[in-house]
């Protein structure tokens, strides 16, 4: 039961009139409820792949299908977290989480309970009315994850979400992310430099190599999950 399918997807950028192939002929099927990690060296095309999965950019050739339909514009059923948390400093923690609902023209009132629940789940109860500048890096990134999950997306896309955090905080974030995942088991695609993180969290690790930006390995992890 596939959530998404990439069919011979390539992406070439024009950079100073020189073509740069970021992703070359990638085919991939992502099952519903699967936790996939993509690892590979910097510049191999991981972010480009993720942005095509979200419909934020379009392949040069090939297609991205979600629920069997080719997507040609930003897909609303995704939640995304980037390495930089992109929190709005003038809004409180709760307002940052609910901002996503505002953007989607939802009724903010209907989501206040869920915002409180999500924040409590990552240990941020009591911080709802604080401002981002009062939080540590790990706490800020937890807020960003809650913001990505507030509209109950089909898929959570994570682009090096813990890349800017120290290793101890990363460990804690991994445990939190696993808890969040176990609660509902959404489909997750995680980009990371950290192979241990990938092995700990995922059902499947895709190894990507630069030149020409394609998958070189597809590892299924057969360790029983909690
Ligand atoms: P990764 O996420 O693995 O670091 P990216 O997808 O960010 O890789 O980049 C893959 C390649 O595409 C790199 O060579 C990068 O310089 C190039 N690239 C990415 N975005 C653009 C862009 N908007 N314009 C031109 N080249 C880009
Ligand atoms: P994290 O691992 O989330 O980055 P830290 O290791 O910096 O957080 O801090 C551990 C705990 O200390 C947090 O979970 C929080 O309870 C508390 N804490 C950290 N920074 C702050 C702050 N600026 N204001 C209030 N409490 C904080």
């Amino acid at each position: 039961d596939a959530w998404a399918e990439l069919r011979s997807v390539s992406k070439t950028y024009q950079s100073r009139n020189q073509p740069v192939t970021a992703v070359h002929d990638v085919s991939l099927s992502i099952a519903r409820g699967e936790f996939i990690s993509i690892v590979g060296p910097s510049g191999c095309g991981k972010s480009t792949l993720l942005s095509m999965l979200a419909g934020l950019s379009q392949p040069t050739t090939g297609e991205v299908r979600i629920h069997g339909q080719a997507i040609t514009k930003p897909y609303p059923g995704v939640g995304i977290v980037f390495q930089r948390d992109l929190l709005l400093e003038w809004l409180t923690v709760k307002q940052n989480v609910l901002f996503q609902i505002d953007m989607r023209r939802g009724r903010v009132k209907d989501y206040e309970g869920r915002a409180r629940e999500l924040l409590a789940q990552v240990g941020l109860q009591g911080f709802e009315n604080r401002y981002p500048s009062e939080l540590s890096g790990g706490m800020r990134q937890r807020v960003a994850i809650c913001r990505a999950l507030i509209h109950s997306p089909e898929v959570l896309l994570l682009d090096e979400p813990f890349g800017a955090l120290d290793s101890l905080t990363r460990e804690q974030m991994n445990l939190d992310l696993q808890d969040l995942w176990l609660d509902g088991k959404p489909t997750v695609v995680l980009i990371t430099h950290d192979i241990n993180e990938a092995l700990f969290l995922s059902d499947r690790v895709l190894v990507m190599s630069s030149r020409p930006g394609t998958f070189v390995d597809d590892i299924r992890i057969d360790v029983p999950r909690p």
Side-chain angles (χ1 to χ4, degrees):
D1 191 12
W3 171 69
E5 227 178 315
L6 274 66
R7 295 189 176 171
S8 303
V9 166
S10 296
K11 177 77 177 182
T12 301
Y13 295 107
Q14 288 299 328
S15 186
R16 295 200 197 86
N17 294 322
Q18 287 278 57
V20 176
T21 298
V23 171
H24 177 75
D25 195 20
V26 163
S27 294
L28 167 70
S29 180
I30 300 174
R32 224 177 287 228
E34 196 168 34
F35 195 129
I36 295 189
S37 292
I38 301 175
V39 299
S42 180
C44 72
K46 303 182 296 295
S47 296
T48 299
L49 199 68
L50 208 72
S51 85
M52 289 190 286
L53 263 180
L56 294 172
S57 73
Q58 301 305 318
T60 313
T61 61
E63 61 181 12
V64 176
R65 293 176 157 263
I66 296 180
H67 300 306
Q69 294 270 336
I71 54 164
T72 53
K73 54 176 197 249
Y75 186 71
V78 297
I80 312 187
V81 179
F82 298 99
Q83 182 169 337
R84 293 189 49 224
D85 57 58
L86 305 172
L87 297 182
L88 301 172
E89 303 294 337
W90 61 93
L91 298 180
T92 65
V93 163
K94 194 172 83 182
Q95 288 168 340
N96 265 284
V97 173
L98 291 167
F99 183 71
Q100 191 61 240
I101 300 300
D102 250 339
M103 294 272 291
R104 290 163 188 267
R105 298 167 198 277
R107 279 166 47 101
V108 167
K109 275 242 168 298
D110 297 345
Y111 289 86
E112 284 188 343
R114 176 161 169 78
R116 218 171 304 118
E117 258 172 50
L118 280 169
L119 287 166
Q121 219 171 339
V122 296
L124 287 175
Q125 63 275 49
F127 287 86
E128 292 89 348
N129 298 319
R130 301 289 195 93
Y131 287 87
S133 63
E134 302 178 82
L135 307 182
S136 70
M139 295 161 86
R140 290 178 62 110
Q141 202 58 314
R142 289 190 180 99
V143 176
I145 293 173
C146 292
R147 181 182 53 191
L149 289 171
I150 186 72
H151 65 291
S152 305
E154 296 166 11
V155 174
L156 185 59
L157 302 176
L158 305 165
D159 192 347
E160 285 278 354
F162 314 138
L165 304 176
D166 64 85
S167 57
L168 210 65
T169 305
R170 288 180 81 111
E171 296 267 330
Q172 186 55 50
M173 297 295 283
N174 283 340
L175 295 172
D176 283 0
L177 180 57
Q178 190 174 52
D179 280 350
L180 278 176
W181 180 76
L182 288 170
D183 181 45
K185 303 203 176 173
T187 311
V188 182
V189 182
L190 167 72
I191 288 179
T192 178
H193 272 97
D194 186 339
I195 185 72
N196 290 319
E197 191 167 282
L199 292 170
F200 174 69
L201 289 167
S202 333
D203 299 313
R204 194 172 160 201
V205 180
L206 297 165
V207 183
M208 211 172 167
S209 155
S210 47
R211 283 184 238 101
T214 194
F215 293 144
V216 290
D217 213 342
D218 183 342
I219 306 162
R220 280 171 198 278
I221 318 242
D222 284 330
V223 184
R225 304 207 147 266

